[in-house]
Amino acid sequence: MDFSSDNSVGAAPAILEALSAASTGSATSYGGDALSERVRQRFCDLFEREVAVLLLPTGTAANGLALAQFTPSYGAILCHETSHAHTSECAAPEFFTGGAKLIQLKGAGGKLTGRHIAAAVKAYGDHRPHTAPLAALTLTQASELGTVYAPGDLAETCAAARDAGLKVHMDGARFANAMATLRCTPAEATWRAGVDALTFGATKNGAIAAEALIFFDPADAKDVAFRQKRAGHLWSKHRFLAAQMDAYLDDDLWLALAARANRTAQRLADGLARLPGVRLPYPTQANEVFAELPAHLADALQSAGALFYPWEEDLSGDGCTLYRFVASFETCDSEVDEAIAVLTKAARPNMEQTPAHV
Amino acid sequence: MDFSSDNSVGAAPAILEALSAASTGSATSYGGDALSERVRQRFCDLFEREVAVLLLPTGTAANGLALAQFTPSYGAILCHETSHAHTSECAAPEFFTGGAKLIQLKGAGGKLTGRHIAAAVKAYGDHRPHTAPLAALTLTQASELGTVYAPGDLAETCAAARDAGLKVHMDGARFANAMATLRCTPAEATWRAGVDALTFGATKNGAIAAEALIFFDPADAKDVAFRQKRAGHLWSKHRFLAAQMDAYLDDDLWLALAARANRTAQRLADGLARLPGVRLPYPTQANEVFAELPAHLADALQSAGALFYPWEEDLSGDGCTLYRFVASFETCDSEVDEAIAVLTKAARPNMEQTPAHV
Amino acid sequence: MDFSSDNSVGAAPAILEALSAASTGSATSYGGDALSERVRQRFCDLFEREVAVLLLPTGTAANGLALAQFTPSYGAILCHETSHAHTSECAAPEFFTGGAKLIQLKGAGGKLTGRHIAAAVKAYGDHRPHTAPLAALTLTQASELGTVYAPGDLAETCAAARDAGLKVHMDGARFANAMATLRCTPAEATWRAGVDALTFGATKNGAIAAEALIFFDPADAKDVAFRQKRAGHLWSKHRFLAAQMDAYLDDDLWLALAARANRTAQRLADGLARLPGVRLPYPTQANEVFAELPAHLADALQSAGALFYPWEEDLSGDGCTLYRFVASFETCDSEVDEAIAVLTKAARPNMEQTPAHV
Amino acid sequence: MDFSSDNSVGAAPAILEALSAASTGSATSYGGDALSERVRQRFCDLFEREVAVLLLPTGTAANGLALAQFTPSYGAILCHETSHAHTSECAAPEFFTGGAKLIQLKGAGGKLTGRHIAAAVKAYGDHRPHTAPLAALTLTQASELGTVYAPGDLAETCAAARDAGLKVHMDGARFANAMATLRCTPAEATWRAGVDALTFGATKNGAIAAEALIFFDPADAKDVAFRQKRAGHLWSKHRFLAAQMDAYLDDDLWLALAARANRTAQRLADGLARLPGVRLPYPTQANEVFAELPAHLADALQSAGALFYPWEEDLSGDGCTLYRFVASFETCDSEVDEAIAVLTKAARPNMEQTPAHV
């Protein structure tokens, strides 16, 4: 019962096989090989337009490089206060940009609406050169709270950013999970809605270490290779990044793996929602479930050996802690069922007493 | 009627005279001169302990260097969301630190309490190395909203910072104005309350361009000269910074100038407070007055040629805009009286109608 | 006949197999897994002391992080003018350190002696804070010109650095090739000779993307995890870096692969040295051969389809260009023999004429 | 007898008077005042074209900001190995650019010719993105060795830079001294010869702290105000920088002061050149004299209380040390004459013996 993270599993077999297959023979280093070009072309096809592609081993690198392309060292970036780039990358955006400023915004369910952006831009003001000029917005899809931007909402948010002259970056560490939920094309979920660059994640969803940074306007990628190189992110044996991504895109493996994780998460969410005293503050729209559990339930589940992390203490002011449960492409229905069984049993005394109390 | 800023006035005559006096003869460059040493000694006396002193032309430089001493490039800094270092220095802390992160906090009246700090530290969490480690807190005294930390309150805030392992920097661009209000010693208002470094401002209060960065523990200043030099902030003819500060400290000129500005600000605050429809959301504790004015009053005052800046639209939700009025050491009572007269006249129609309406 | 680079080959089968084997089951992310700990322990054993280990995908990252630990942002680093960190990493050391300065030194055969270091330190001077303080020296083993530091020579160089207060970093992208040549232990070739940190390369010698950054004094690694994380170099599925390194160290695979490449390079060097008009300016001590070829020989070899890069025009002033030939762990004797055959045939007209001319 | 530096003197009286005069009345802060605009206009007139002007307190700031405008954080800058920006600004160019690389070149007399630039560019190579792209060249006028580029030579150097796509920055900390020697217009000595930006120094030549950074194409100054602000180099009471520069330009005070210093330096150079055993390796073309003195002469001069710095030990291999003597606008002929008298007396024993030996 490992719901700790989608990082604790290994890689999809097809991706491991692709690494071995790619190893044969000589290939131009640093991305000049045929497989790297093939992956670039696949992304052009997937997104229905010419795009620039960088293959990178981590989302932190992809997010940092994207923001560095969009933001001068003296600029500022709008982000959600829960965004991974702000909370969990040890000031990587500040590092890659050379010292830009992150403005931390609030927004329900981990998302930012057009209204949030417009209000933030107005509150920020523009007293140049005293204010660091706003240059970019970074969004997360699926969000850190397991929610997903619908294309219409996303378009509204991006439009507000565009009105303020901001470029829009989307951190898609779980983009596959979002796409498995959305009924639209990758193009509609990104550039057609106003996204300028996307971190297209694979690591959490089956790769060993691979993310694609996609610039929807190749002009935005100008000189990014210098930044990539000096950050130590240009692989010499680049084929081994390309091979992972090639297998990941093959036959829509990326969507299949994500759909599986999403279904497992939904099964868990449904089970949790039926338990007394358990509350799910956000809809489960990807592969993460957030649930407020009373202490005795959390304890019981931990005692049974389940792995999951506390997210926030006492979110609703009733003493319950908010926990995060993540389903990976390998998480099994049986793990979910076992967890729900443990919780149901632990909740039973309450269930029996509850009628009397109510 | 120039209430626009304490930056729009010239310098105090004594400081200009000191520049001329210091110009005679040969002196060791880069701070090795006798006058520079004399100023350092004066700060040791003023603060009743051995301190390290850097003389700098701007507060932005002083704030940035202080924060760079306290915060590694991968660290994080707590600040008030209205702090000058965050809002008005074009990401200077991010630049001087080499990419540290600023965490923006809310707090009434431009101030942060111990409770604010403790809550912020808890919310920030500590998932190293994913979270950038919290390293410093920067406070502003007098605050950006014209309020002043009493030593007891300050001590509480600093204690909370210390509990979290943070160094405390105080941006004292208007430290003199705060001290002219507080009934305590400079030592009590700083290191005895837990402050580790102080930007001791002079520019807004009579110098041409001079701020002292004071490290209360000289060990905290280790190697800061390298940072100062590479930022272009080590003056070759250092005596000309020292001369300004020497004159500023002489006979407590700094306190006299600040007290004068504070009195003028208080006169303005008192006059504004008596006007119908005008609200002062923060107490006037230094040389800045914040007042919400209905549009017709603001218009009348502007039409009369007064200079003052809007600060925030519709703070209280009644359509009034919040304006900032700053008194400098040169602002005259007559300017204040003229402004109040203009406003009183403009308010009169209202005053006559008001009884009927109430 | 691919002598272009040791980056153009794939990975060693044992390393690919290790990736697949490591993929099974759940593992703590970000390096908290058992395999990562096992690799750390193996490095302690290999170097006969407690060491701190970072696993990274590129040498540029390892070099940059090592230098950032040793050099403040306002410091300076001594390097050979041909060092990869200076010439081929797009200012990565400047990036990772936050703006340190690289001082470029000359030294025969790509190496720096104790005398070079002492002279450079003296010439650099020490006019603090005007001079950026010298903080580190970076050496390359095997060097960029295919030569190897003997432990005695290395100790002399390191001693001169230590005398000047410098930490010593060794870029060992081809450390295995050096060790396959040297008759000493890894400890003798590094920390016993005065090296503080080593980039222990695997990528060029059989991995897909893996380098170990070894700090011989674990205290030198303090807080490096923050730098690693913010640079996007902390892998979530860290086991996949560990697996590569584990297989690489297993049964001394690293030495076996390097020895093979070295032997192939030596075979090529011997063949080239026998050709008339060909000069090898540096001894072939690792897996790179540098040879000055007259144009007709270079042309003949290229026409036959061999891949190799020009390194420097007219090094010796006789119109010959210096070329670099690299043997990888996969390069075959037959490739070497074919190249020598092509060159011998192309050189024959000269050979026949030579006697008459001499 | 203070020949230590042109930084050890005070300010010119006219500049001190201008500070006092500028202090009266209210003025827009941060450079929006009339005096600042007047100075900008004067520079347009002086250089016979529309220019962008930044006023800054130090040359390090001006050099750093100029190079940051021309060089991306991942770029490289060519400089002379003796250039102040490289040797004496504690890695300020690396800081202001956000981590660019400085390539250190040799050139006789502190100058770089077109041939030097072309050779350096070729040797540097262009293996993008592995090589940090060359972006700028910085020259020093007058040079660090007291020599001056003639417009024709300068044009040749700049042309070589332009051929390689480099912008040219001129560090003119002693530009006035160069102009007092050259028989050409400021325009001919700068942009007409191919210079893109100039640090126009005043501090060493009579100001308290003032340098102008001139961009000859105002488009090159785009967004530089952000960099200036975040580095703490935008003065709030900007009139006090403008006042210094205004007085400095008034009636060609800058040229008069520099001409005086140059004449004094020449008087010293002439005296030194007549002394036996003394060698002047570089022509005295500005206000600095470099002389190799045997130990007994240097000792005698120091014993007499003269201040001057050793520059390089044993430049010519005969045991003599190279010393630097600087004449400021305040240095008197009597100081020079006294120094020469001391040296002549100390040299007399030699002079008497010399004939017999020769």
Side-chain angles (χ1 to χ4, degrees):
Chain A
M1 291 186 291
D2 184 355
F3 307 109
S4 63
S5 170
D6 31 12
N7 283 328
S8 59
V9 292
I15 287 175
L16 290 165
E17 285 157 25
L19 284 174
S20 293
S23 185
T24 310
S26 182
T28 306
S29 50
Y30 298 111
D33 59 294
L35 192 54
S36 296
E37 169 54 23
R38 174 180 151 96
V39 166
R40 194 192 67 79
Q41 191 54 55
R42 289 189 89 145
F43 276 114
C44 295
D45 296 346
L46 183 67
F47 286 103
E48 303 171 50
R49 64 176 293 164
E50 191 70 13
V51 297
V53 178
L54 272 76
L55 299 183
L56 300 157
T58 67
T60 298
N63 293 343
L65 287 169
L67 292 171
Q69 285 297 104
F70 290 157
T71 316
S73 57
Y74 47 77
I77 298 162
L78 298 183
C79 67
H80 193 282
E81 62 175 2
T82 65
S83 64
H84 196 268
H86 171 57
T87 67
S88 306
E89 299 183 356
C90 200
E94 288 88 345
F95 180 53
F96 279 89
T97 57
K101 176 181 288 299
L102 266 71
I103 305 297
Q104 301 124 38
L105 307 181
K106 291 182 185 301
K111 297 194 284 187
L112 295 170
T113 65
R115 200 172 288 187
H116 288 133
I117 303 306
V121 168
K122 189 172 175 196
Y124 188 77
D126 187 356
H127 304 288
R128 304 180 175 211
H130 305 278
T131 42
L134 288 174
L137 163 68
T138 180
L139 302 171
T140 311
Q141 175 80 314
S143 84
E144 305 298 337
L145 298 176
T147 60
V148 167
Y149 286 92
D153 295 343
L154 180 65
E156 198 182 288
T157 302
C158 292
R162 189 136 313 185
D163 286 349
L166 311 186
K167 291 277 190 176
V168 179
H169 164 250
M170 175 176 276
D171 177 357
R174 295 190 181 92
F175 182 72
N177 302 97
M179 287 311 300
T181 292
L182 291 170
R183 297 180 180 227
C184 69
T185 65
E188 286 162 354
T190 55
W191 64 272
R192 287 215 166 100
V195 173
D196 296 292
L198 169 69
T199 298
F200 180 95
T203 309
K204 291 179 193 290
N205 192 35
I208 67 164
E211 313 276 305
L213 171 54
I214 312 287
F215 289 98
F216 294 108
D217 179 352
D220 284 337
K222 184 173 183 298
D223 286 345
V224 72
F226 292 121
R227 297 187 193 277
Q228 179 184 15
K229 175 68 196 179
R230 81 195 288 242
H233 281 297
L234 183 57
W235 282 25
S236 51
K237 296 181 177 175
H238 195 269
R239 61 170 112 173
F240 290 119
L241 281 170
Q244 293 179 69
M245 201 54 82
D246 191 52
Y248 188 60
L249 295 176
D250 223 24
D251 285 332
D252 285 341
L253 175 64
W254 65 293
L255 285 173
L257 294 173
R260 196 187 148 180
N262 286 7
R263 275 194 307 271
T264 311
Q266 194 56 57
R267 186 184 190 95
L268 178 62
D270 293 344
L272 288 168
R274 280 191 295 267
L275 291 168
V278 172
R279 212 169 24 243
L280 278 66
Y282 317 116
T284 299
Q285 298 174 329
N287 65 323
E288 296 186 300
V289 183
F290 288 82
E292 294 172 273
L293 299 188
H296 69 286
L297 292 195
D299 291 349
L301 195 54
Q302 271 156 349
S303 299
L307 299 176
F308 57 102
Y309 284 121
W311 204 252
E312 195 171 336
E313 281 183 36
D314 202 17
L315 175 72
S316 306
D318 60 356
C320 287
T321 295
L322 180 69
Y323 292 91
R324 185 187 76 161
F325 301 82
V326 190
S328 78
F329 70 94
E330 279 196 349
T331 310
C332 298
D333 283 358
S334 61
E335 292 179 89
V336 169
D337 296 346
E338 185 186 344
I340 296 299
V342 167
L343 288 166
T344 303
K345 189 171 164 195
R348 205 172 307 156
N350 278 354
M351 293 179 79
E352 284 164 357
Q353 289 162 18
T354 305
H357 281 276
V358 171
Chain B
M1 291 188 291
D2 183 354
F3 307 110
S4 64
S5 170
D6 31 13
N7 283 328
S8 59
V9 291
I15 287 174
L16 290 164
E17 285 157 25
L19 284 174
S20 293
S23 186
T24 309
S26 181
T28 307
S29 50
Y30 297 111
D33 59 295
L35 193 55
S36 296
E37 169 54 22
R38 174 181 150 97
V39 165
R40 194 192 66 79
Q41 190 55 55
R42 290 189 89 147
F43 275 115
C44 294
D45 295 346
L46 184 67
F47 286 103
E48 304 171 49
R49 64 176 294 164
E50 191 70 15
V51 298
V53 178
L54 272 76
L55 300 183
L56 300 158
T58 67
T60 298
N63 293 343
L65 288 170
L67 293 171
Q69 286 296 104
F70 291 156
T71 316
S73 58
Y74 47 78
I77 297 163
L78 298 183
C79 67
H80 195 282
E81 63 175 1
T82 64
S83 64
H84 195 269
H86 170 58
T87 67
S88 307
E89 300 183 357
C90 199
E94 287 89 345
F95 180 52
F96 278 90
T97 56
K101 175 180 289 297
L102 267 70
I103 305 296
Q104 300 125 39
L105 308 181
K106 290 182 186 301
K111 296 195 284 187
L112 295 170
T113 65
R115 200 171 288 187
H116 288 133
I117 302 306
V121 167
K122 189 173 174 196
Y124 188 77
D126 186 355
H127 303 287
R128 305 182 174 209
H130 305 277
T131 42
L134 288 174
L137 163 68
T138 181
L139 302 172
T140 311
Q141 174 82 312
S143 84
E144 305 299 337
L145 298 175
T147 59
V148 168
Y149 285 91
D153 295 344
L154 180 64
E156 199 182 290
T157 303
C158 292
R162 190 135 314 184
D163 285 349
L166 311 186
K167 291 276 189 179
V168 179
H169 165 252
M170 175 177 275
D171 177 358
R174 295 189 181 93
F175 182 72
N177 301 96
M179 287 311 300
T181 292
L182 291 171
R183 300 182 176 222
C184 69
T185 64
E188 287 163 354
T190 55
W191 63 272
R192 287 214 167 101
V195 173
D196 296 293
L198 170 70
T199 298
F200 180 95
T203 309
K204 291 179 192 291
N205 193 33
I208 68 163
E211 313 275 307
L213 172 55
I214 312 287
F215 289 98
F216 295 108
D217 178 352
D220 283 338
K222 185 173 182 298
D223 287 345
V224 72
F226 293 120
R227 297 188 194 277
Q228 179 185 15
K229 174 66 196 178
R230 81 196 287 244
H233 281 297
L234 182 58
W235 281 26
S236 51
K237 297 181 176 176
H238 195 269
R239 60 171 112 176
F240 290 119
L241 281 170
Q244 294 179 68
M245 201 53 82
D246 191 53
Y248 187 61
L249 294 177
D250 223 23
D251 286 330
D252 285 342
L253 176 63
W254 65 292
L255 285 173
L257 294 172
R260 197 188 147 178
N262 285 7
R263 275 194 308 271
T264 312
Q266 194 57 57
R267 186 185 189 94
L268 179 62
D270 292 344
L272 288 168
R274 281 191 296 267
L275 291 169
V278 172
R279 210 171 24 241
L280 278 67
Y282 317 117
T284 299
Q285 298 175 328
N287 66 323
E288 296 187 301
V289 183
F290 288 82
E292 294 173 273
L293 298 186
H296 69 286
L297 292 194
D299 291 349
L301 194 53
Q302 271 157 349
S303 300
L307 299 175
F308 57 103
Y309 284 120
W311 204 251
E312 195 171 337
E313 280 184 39
D314 202 17
L315 175 73
S316 306
D318 62 355
C320 287
T321 293
L322 179 68
Y323 292 92
R324 186 188 75 160
F325 301 83
V326 191
S328 79
F329 70 95
E330 281 195 348
T331 311
C332 299
D333 282 358
S334 61
E335 291 178 272
V336 169
D337 295 346
E338 185 185 345
I340 296 298
V342 167
L343 288 167
T344 303
K345 188 173 163 195
R348 206 174 306 158
N350 277 354
M351 291 177 81
E352 285 164 358
Q353 291 164 17
T354 304
H357 281 275
V358 170
Chain C
M1 292 188 291
D2 183 354
F3 306 110
S4 63
S5 170
D6 30 13
N7 284 328
S8 59
V9 292
I15 287 174
L16 290 164
E17 286 157 25
L19 284 173
S20 293
S23 185
T24 309
S26 181
T28 306
S29 51
Y30 298 111
D33 59 295
L35 193 55
S36 296
E37 170 54 21
R38 174 181 150 98
V39 165
R40 195 193 66 79
Q41 191 54 56
R42 290 189 89 147
F43 276 114
C44 294
D45 296 345
L46 185 67
F47 285 104
E48 304 172 48
R49 66 175 294 165
E50 192 67 15
V51 297
V53 177
L54 272 77
L55 299 184
L56 300 157
T58 67
T60 297
N63 293 343
L65 287 169
L67 293 171
Q69 286 295 103
F70 291 157
T71 316
S73 58
Y74 46 79
I77 297 162
L78 298 182
C79 68
H80 194 283
E81 63 174 2
T82 66
S83 63
H84 195 268
H86 171 58
T87 66
S88 306
E89 300 183 356
C90 200
E94 288 88 346
F95 180 52
F96 279 89
T97 57
K101 177 180 285 299
L102 267 71
I103 305 296
Q104 301 124 38
L105 308 180
K106 291 182 184 299
K111 296 195 284 186
L112 294 170
T113 65
R115 201 172 287 187
H116 289 133
I117 302 305
V121 168
K122 190 173 173 194
Y124 188 77
D126 187 355
H127 304 287
R128 304 180 173 211
H130 306 278
T131 42
L134 288 174
L137 163 67
T138 180
L139 302 172
T140 311
Q141 174 81 313
S143 85
E144 306 299 336
L145 298 175
T147 59
V148 168
Y149 286 93
D153 294 344
L154 179 64
E156 198 182 289
T157 303
C158 292
R162 189 134 314 183
D163 286 349
L166 311 185
K167 291 276 189 177
V168 179
H169 165 250
M170 174 175 275
D171 177 357
R174 295 189 182 95
F175 183 73
N177 301 97
M179 287 311 300
T181 293
L182 291 170
R183 298 181 178 227
C184 69
T185 65
E188 287 163 354
T190 56
W191 63 273
R192 287 214 167 101
V195 173
D196 296 294
L198 168 70
T199 298
F200 180 95
T203 310
K204 290 178 193 292
N205 194 33
I208 68 164
E211 313 276 307
L213 171 54
I214 313 286
F215 288 98
F216 294 108
D217 179 352
D220 283 339
K222 186 174 182 293
D223 286 345
V224 72
F226 293 121
R227 298 187 193 278
Q228 178 184 15
K229 175 66 195 179
R230 81 197 286 243
H233 281 297
L234 181 58
W235 281 26
S236 52
K237 297 183 177 174
H238 195 268
R239 61 171 112 175
F240 290 119
L241 281 170
Q244 293 179 69
M245 201 54 82
D246 191 53
Y248 188 60
L249 294 177
D250 222 23
D251 286 331
D252 285 341
L253 175 64
W254 64 294
L255 286 173
L257 294 173
R260 197 187 148 181
N262 286 7
R263 276 194 306 272
T264 312
Q266 193 58 56
R267 185 184 189 97
L268 179 62
D270 292 345
L272 288 168
R274 282 191 295 266
L275 291 168
V278 172
R279 211 168 25 240
L280 278 65
Y282 317 117
T284 299
Q285 297 175 327
N287 66 322
E288 296 186 301
V289 184
F290 288 83
E292 294 172 273
L293 299 187
H296 69 283
L297 291 194
D299 291 349
L301 194 54
Q302 270 157 350
S303 300
L307 299 175
F308 57 102
Y309 283 120
W311 205 252
E312 195 173 337
E313 281 184 37
D314 203 16
L315 175 73
S316 306
D318 61 356
C320 286
T321 294
L322 179 69
Y323 292 92
R324 184 188 77 160
F325 300 82
V326 189
S328 78
F329 71 93
E330 280 196 349
T331 311
C332 300
D333 283 357
S334 60
E335 291 178 90
V336 170
D337 296 346
E338 186 185 344
I340 296 298
V342 168
L343 289 166
T344 303
K345 188 172 164 197
R348 205 173 306 156
N350 278 354
M351 292 179 81
E352 283 164 358
Q353 289 162 18
T354 303
H357 281 276
V358 171
Chain D
M1 291 187 291
D2 184 353
F3 307 109
S4 62
S5 171
D6 30 13
N7 283 328
S8 58
V9 292
I15 287 175
L16 290 164
E17 286 157 23
L19 284 173
S20 293
S23 187
T24 309
S26 181
T28 306
S29 49
Y30 297 110
D33 60 293
L35 193 54
S36 296
E37 170 53 22
R38 174 180 150 97
V39 165
R40 195 193 66 78
Q41 191 54 55
R42 289 189 89 147
F43 277 114
C44 294
D45 295 347
L46 184 67
F47 286 103
E48 304 171 49
R49 65 176 293 165
E50 191 69 12
V51 297
V53 178
L54 272 76
L55 300 184
L56 300 157
T58 67
T60 297
N63 293 343
L65 287 170
L67 293 171
Q69 285 295 105
F70 290 157
T71 317
S73 58
Y74 47 77
I77 298 162
L78 298 182
C79 68
H80 194 281
E81 62 175 2
T82 66
S83 63
H84 196 269
H86 171 57
T87 67
S88 306
E89 300 183 357
C90 200
E94 287 88 345
F95 180 52
F96 279 89
T97 57
K101 177 181 286 299
L102 267 70
I103 305 295
Q104 301 125 39
L105 308 181
K106 291 181 184 302
K111 296 195 284 188
L112 295 170
T113 65
R115 200 171 289 187
H116 289 133
I117 303 305
V121 168
K122 190 173 174 195
Y124 187 79
D126 187 355
H127 304 288
R128 303 181 175 210
H130 306 278
T131 43
L134 288 175
L137 163 68
T138 180
L139 302 171
T140 311
Q141 175 79 311
S143 85
E144 305 299 336
L145 299 175
T147 60
V148 167
Y149 285 92
D153 294 344
L154 180 65
E156 198 182 290
T157 302
C158 292
R162 189 136 315 185
D163 285 350
L166 311 186
K167 291 278 189 178
V168 180
H169 164 252
M170 175 176 277
D171 177 357
R174 296 189 180 92
F175 183 71
N177 301 97
M179 288 311 301
T181 292
L182 290 170
R183 300 180 178 226
C184 69
T185 65
E188 287 163 354
T190 56
W191 64 271
R192 287 214 167 101
V195 173
D196 296 292
L198 170 69
T199 298
F200 180 94
T203 310
K204 291 178 193 290
N205 193 34
I208 67 163
E211 314 275 307
L213 171 55
I214 313 287
F215 289 99
F216 295 107
D217 179 351
D220 283 338
K222 185 174 181 297
D223 286 344
V224 72
F226 293 119
R227 297 187 192 279
Q228 178 184 15
K229 175 67 195 179
R230 80 196 286 242
H233 282 298
L234 183 57
W235 282 25
S236 52
K237 297 181 177 176
H238 195 269
R239 59 170 115 174
F240 291 118
L241 281 170
Q244 294 180 69
M245 201 54 82
D246 191 52
Y248 187 61
L249 295 176
D250 222 23
D251 285 331
D252 284 343
L253 176 63
W254 65 293
L255 285 172
L257 294 173
R260 198 188 146 179
N262 286 7
R263 277 194 306 273
T264 312
Q266 193 58 55
R267 185 183 189 95
L268 179 62
D270 293 345
L272 288 168
R274 281 190 296 267
L275 290 168
V278 172
R279 209 170 25 241
L280 279 66
Y282 318 117
T284 299
Q285 296 175 330
N287 66 323
E288 296 186 301
V289 184
F290 288 82
E292 293 173 273
L293 297 187
H296 68 285
L297 292 194
D299 291 348
L301 194 54
Q302 271 157 350
S303 299
L307 299 175
F308 57 102
Y309 283 121
W311 205 253
E312 195 172 338
E313 281 183 38
D314 201 17
L315 175 72
S316 307
D318 62 356
C320 287
T321 294
L322 179 68
Y323 292 92
R324 185 188 75 160
F325 301 81
V326 190
S328 78
F329 71 94
E330 279 196 348
T331 311
C332 299
D333 282 359
S334 62
E335 292 178 271
V336 168
D337 296 346
E338 187 186 344
I340 297 298
V342 168
L343 289 166
T344 304
K345 190 171 162 195
R348 206 173 305 156
N350 279 353
M351 292 178 80
E352 283 164 359
Q353 290 163 17
T354 305
H357 282 276
V358 170

